[in-house]
Amino acid sequence: MAAVVTAGLAVLALLAASWAPQAGAPNLALWLFAGFIVAGELYPLPVPRGEREGRITTSTTFAFALLLLAGTAAAAVVLAAASLLADLLGRKPWSKSLFNVGQLTLSVTAAGVTLLLLVGTPVAADPAPFRPAELPAIMLAAAVFFCCNVGLTGTVVALTEGLSLKQLLWRDLSFHASAAAVLLALSPVVVAAAERSLALVPLLVLPMVAVHRVASVYVERQRQALHDPLTGLPNRALFRDRVQQATLAAQRSGSRCAAMVIDLDRFKEVNDTLGHDAGDLVLREVAPRLRGVLRESDTVARTGGDEFGAVLWGVTDAAAARQVAGKMRAALQRPFDVQGLALDIDASIGIALFPDHGRDHRTLLTRADVAMYAAKRARVGYKMYAPEQEQRSPAKLALVGKLRRAVQDDQFVVHYQPQVRLETSQVNAVEALVRWRDPQRGLVAPDEFITVAEDVGLIEDLTRSVLRKSLQQCRQWRAAGLAIGVGVNVSAHSLQSLDLPDVLASLLVEEDTRPQDLALEITESAIMSDPERAKTVLTRLHDMGISLAIDDYGTGNTSLLYLARLPVQELKIDKSFVLDMVSDRPAALIVRSTIDLARNLGLRVVAEGVESKEQWERLADLGCDVAQGYYISRPLPGPELTIWLEASRPHSAHPGGSRLGPAG
């Protein structure tokens, strides 16, 4: 930085001393261009660049145009002054401000020298600013300006942040090159317009203003979609993308990167004791503490609940990653001042290195998660991933590999099991049940792969696929005159994600489906893993118009009175009680008491696992609302169930309804 500043200021002083502004029209053009250069520096164009907002200055167009029109000295002096003014108003450190002046001066000078060598003078000649034959020289000078600008800035950033220059330039080159090509290519057009009439120059600015407004709105919307609203950090989706980009860059450059999973310890005690608002205050404070430890090139994200993630670019070795994890933990161990109380919060951090512990971003994140749980069990603060931390058999590891390929190749299909109202025998909903169509084994039941998908971080992609397929099928039924709602099971991991309502809102719009056509089925254990967070997500889903059901009720240890405080509309009695209710008195008592209490609380009751006429009749006598099970129908693919529904619908049925006899 010192070298660039010293050389740049020396050259700027020489250019300023030799500059003699011309009189007349060129001088008016100079002042006009100078005004646009200052405006461009003060109001750069925002453009989306991952989790950060990039900026492009339109001053580049007018600075290079000024070089063509009035010479190197004029362009360098005006651009340096505009850059310094913008940096001062933006309260940038003096070191950065002077560096910007130096590198811009050197870049403009290099472009001017190129023109001098190729054309003979960098100053536009009368009667035209340039001849068509000089355009190749002008474009080469523009390329020199671009290379000097990006090269000097990239070198300083790489040295400051400990990154490989090749890696950094590779990451940003396409962004810089595309933007610079457009802006610099406009410069000759600006000069030609100025030579014809200065009144034409402002007309070229109008499209830039329009682009500025559109870009600003787009960047803000993208920021909201990819960031956590509470902390302002990148969310899970953006974090996964950043980890993927880091692994790809490390693969290209032959370097390393590190993924970290950070889970707060004792955070649940804060929520339970002081309330959700106090927990939010802690989370807001966690964000700047973690950011303060990392370099600007690294990413820290909130991935859900009290879990955060970080990705480190250009990590030299495991020791460097451990050092960063130690700094993170130390930053979080400082007391948090909440409501006048000094709260102690610790963290468990799992670390995984690329390519040592995984050669793709999914594997890397999975193994960082494994390491985090190992650190939590050992209570040592942080751990690097090691194979012995995974309690998996070779067969299970092989299953994980096949499951990853299945998700990538979309080998999953959805079958639907009808739910029938006991009072009217009318079908008004189905439950979506996923099956894995394994090329070797055929259809695989969910019991064999759902838990594995949750363990290795594939459950979100799988859930999204099932939701999309179910909504598509629901739309097809509606088009055929069948008003059939669909229920989809949601895992504990998905329920704790604050992004779930946004994901569902997008899918509903994309698939042109109504919220009231969808029901989400959630187990007691999924809710109780973080009750407050689950309640927040469920409330948002309920407000969207999505129906909510408690699945497999009776297998957990949660009271129905507690669940009734949640915005749920339906209770599904676990099939283990329904199957035994005819022959086992305790099971029958559980079913009866559950139905009575649920009805008194205003909840709709669905009995799962109905496999006999006796069970159907007993449930009807007890006042159960809906039945589901093999006695009615086994789960069927969408087309087959459509035929079944059509065959079961008499002419007297309500529009869209389907009826069948109890032995259907």
Side-chain angles (χ1 to χ4, degrees):
M1 289 182 69
V4 171
V5 170
T6 302
L9 293 181
V11 171
L12 182 63
L14 291 173
L15 291 173
S18 65
W19 181 31
Q22 299 177 357
N27 196 36
L28 293 177
L30 186 151
W31 286 108
L32 181 62
F33 284 15
F36 286 128
I37 291 171
V38 172
E41 287 290 326
L42 292 176
Y43 301 101
L45 290 168
V47 291
R49 299 181 63 198
E51 81 277 11
R52 291 191 296 274
E53 179 185 298
R55 292 182 180 273
I56 300 173
T57 57
T58 54
S59 60
T60 302
T61 299
F62 293 97
F64 195 69
L66 187 57
L67 186 150
L68 297 174
L69 185 70
T72 304
V77 171
V78 173
L79 184 57
S83 174
L84 185 60
L85 175 63
D87 287 350
L88 291 178
L89 293 177
R91 300 182 183 277
K92 284 189 178 180
W94 274 101
S95 58
K96 290 187 177 181
S97 300
L98 292 177
F99 173 79
N100 288 336
V101 169
Q103 64 94 1
L104 287 172
T105 299
L106 294 176
S107 300
V108 171
T109 303
V113 170
T114 302
L115 279 178
L116 182 64
L117 294 175
L118 297 176
V119 180
T121 174
V123 181
D126 290 329
F130 50 82
R131 296 182 298 274
E134 294 172 340
L135 280 176
I138 292 173
M139 291 296 98
L140 181 59
V144 170
F145 177 88
F146 165 73
C147 291
C148 288
N149 189 1
V150 174
L152 291 174
T153 305
T155 300
V156 168
V157 172
L159 292 173
T160 303
E161 299 186 1
L163 298 174
S164 161
L165 177 60
K166 178 182 176 182
Q167 174 184 332
L168 185 139
L169 291 180
W170 183 274
R171 187 181 72 186
D172 286 354
L173 189 59
S174 61
F175 167 78
H176 284 297
S178 58
V182 173
L183 293 174
L184 291 172
L186 286 175
S187 298
V189 179
V190 172
V191 176
E195 284 293 315
R196 186 64 177 262
S197 173
L198 291 179
L200 295 175
V201 175
L203 296 179
L204 296 173
V205 179
L206 294 179
M208 295 183 182
V209 173
V211 171
H212 186 285
R213 293 179 63 87
V214 172
S216 298
V217 172
Y218 178 72
V219 167
E220 177 58 24
R221 288 181 178 176
Q222 190 187 63
R223 191 197 68 78
Q224 292 175 356
L226 296 176
H227 288 76
D228 170 51
L230 179 65
T231 63
L233 294 176
N235 60 18
R236 178 183 296 274
L238 181 53
F239 178 62
R240 283 180 173 272
D241 177 71
R242 293 305 296 157
V243 176
Q244 183 178 25
Q245 295 303 318
T247 55
L248 292 174
Q251 187 176 30
R252 287 191 296 263
S253 62
S255 59
R256 283 189 173 92
C257 67
M260 296 184 177
V261 173
I262 306 141
D263 189 79
L264 301 183
D265 298 334
R266 298 191 296 276
F267 178 77
K268 189 174 184 299
E269 299 172 16
V270 176
N271 266 344
D272 293 344
T273 306
L274 301 178
H276 195 62
D277 290 341
D280 287 348
L281 290 174
V282 171
L283 294 174
R284 288 194 190 100
E285 179 61 26
V286 167
R289 293 194 187 189
L290 293 177
R291 271 199 304 253
V293 172
L294 301 180
R295 302 163 299 179
E296 186 178 351
S297 60
D298 300 328
T299 297
V300 62
R302 183 185 177 208
T303 55
D306 59 348
E307 186 175 287
F308 294 78
V311 55
L312 313 181
W313 292 66
V315 175
T316 54
D317 52 28
R322 288 192 184 96
Q323 185 178 20
V324 174
K327 290 180 179 179
M328 284 182 172
R329 192 185 180 206
L332 296 176
Q333 285 177 326
R334 297 197 308 270
F336 289 80
D337 185 6
V338 177
Q339 300 176 359
L341 299 174
L343 304 180
D344 291 326
I345 302 291
D346 206 341
S348 298
I349 304 174
I351 313 166
L353 288 180
F354 174 90
D356 309 63
H357 304 138
R359 293 188 170 274
D360 63 84
H361 71 287
R362 294 180 184 277
T363 304
L364 206 63
L365 286 173
T366 298
R367 291 181 171 174
D369 200 52
V370 169
M372 183 274 291
Y373 281 110
K376 191 176 285 287
R377 286 193 299 269
R379 298 185 179 182
V380 294
Y382 59 86
K383 267 186 175 295
M384 185 71 64
Y385 170 80
E388 56 268 19
Q389 295 166 357
E390 300 206 47
Q391 302 172 355
R392 295 176 180 168
S393 65
K396 191 171 184 179
L397 287 174
L399 177 62
V400 169
K402 293 184 66 176
L403 196 56
R404 288 190 190 282
R405 290 190 294 273
V407 171
Q408 293 171 0
D409 299 339
D410 193 21
Q411 296 177 2
F412 296 94
V413 296
V414 181
H415 290 187
Y416 304 90
Q417 188 169 40
Q419 298 173 346
V420 178
R421 296 193 65 84
L422 286 153
E423 185 178 1
T424 63
S425 296
Q426 181 173 331
V427 180
N428 58 358
V430 297
E431 181 182 0
L433 300 167
V434 66
R435 303 287 189 263
W436 175 12
R437 195 182 296 279
D438 188 343
Q440 285 77 41
R441 301 169 57 193
L443 285 181
V444 180
D447 294 345
E448 296 188 41
F449 62 85
I450 290 294
T451 302
V452 178
E454 291 176 334
D455 289 344
V456 299
L458 295 173
I459 192 64
E460 286 192 14
D461 292 338
L462 181 55
T463 300
R464 186 187 291 262
S465 174
V466 173
L467 282 166
R468 185 180 296 280
K469 288 181 171 67
S470 300
L471 292 177
Q472 290 171 349
Q473 182 62 66
C474 191
R475 186 182 69 240
Q476 293 172 13
W477 281 329
R478 191 175 72 220
L482 295 167
I484 304 296
V486 60
V488 179
N489 293 280
V490 176
S491 70
H493 196 282
S494 297
L495 180 62
Q496 299 302 329
S497 172
L498 296 175
D499 300 331
L500 179 61
D502 295 328
V503 170
L504 283 170
S506 298
L507 287 174
L508 287 168
V509 171
E510 292 171 13
E511 302 304 334
D512 187 24
T513 313
R514 304 174 303 175
Q516 57 265 36
D517 291 333
L518 177 64
L520 297 184
E521 301 184 2
I522 306 108
T523 63
E524 297 173 76
S525 58
I527 294 172
M528 297 311 296
S529 62
D530 188 340
E532 290 300 323
R533 188 67 58 184
K535 186 176 181 180
T536 299
V537 175
L538 291 175
T539 300
R540 287 187 61 193
L541 293 169
H542 175 265
D543 292 343
M544 291 169 57
I546 295 173
S547 180
L548 302 170
I550 303 299
D551 195 21
D552 298 339
Y553 180 75
T555 59
N557 56 3
T558 310
S559 71
L560 184 54
L561 287 173
Y562 173 81
L563 295 176
R565 297 189 182 101
L566 299 174
V568 299
Q569 296 78 45
E570 186 173 279
L571 186 74
K572 302 189 72 175
I573 305 174
D574 186 68
K575 63 182 180 181
S576 60
F577 301 110
V578 176
L579 288 172
D580 296 337
M581 64 178 294
V582 175
S583 59
D584 185 68
R585 180 176 173 78
L589 290 174
I590 291 173
V591 172
R592 177 191 294 273
S593 61
T594 301
I595 293 173
D596 289 342
L597 186 54
R599 288 179 64 84
N600 290 333
L601 292 172
L603 299 178
R604 184 170 58 251
V605 184
V606 179
E608 298 181 296
V610 178
E611 296 187 357
S612 69
K613 181 179 180 181
E614 290 80 10
Q615 293 165 355
W616 171 282
E617 293 175 344
R618 183 71 64 86
L619 288 167
D621 292 340
L622 293 175
C624 184
D625 297 300
V626 179
Q628 172 184 346
Y630 275 41
Y631 177 64
I632 301 162
S633 172
R634 63 182 178 86
L636 297 171
E640 291 184 28
L641 186 59
T642 302
I643 297 172
W644 185 91
L645 291 170
E646 291 285 1
S648 304
R649 180 169 60 175
H651 297 295
S652 61
H654 295 295
S658 295
R659 296 175 181 271
L660 71 165

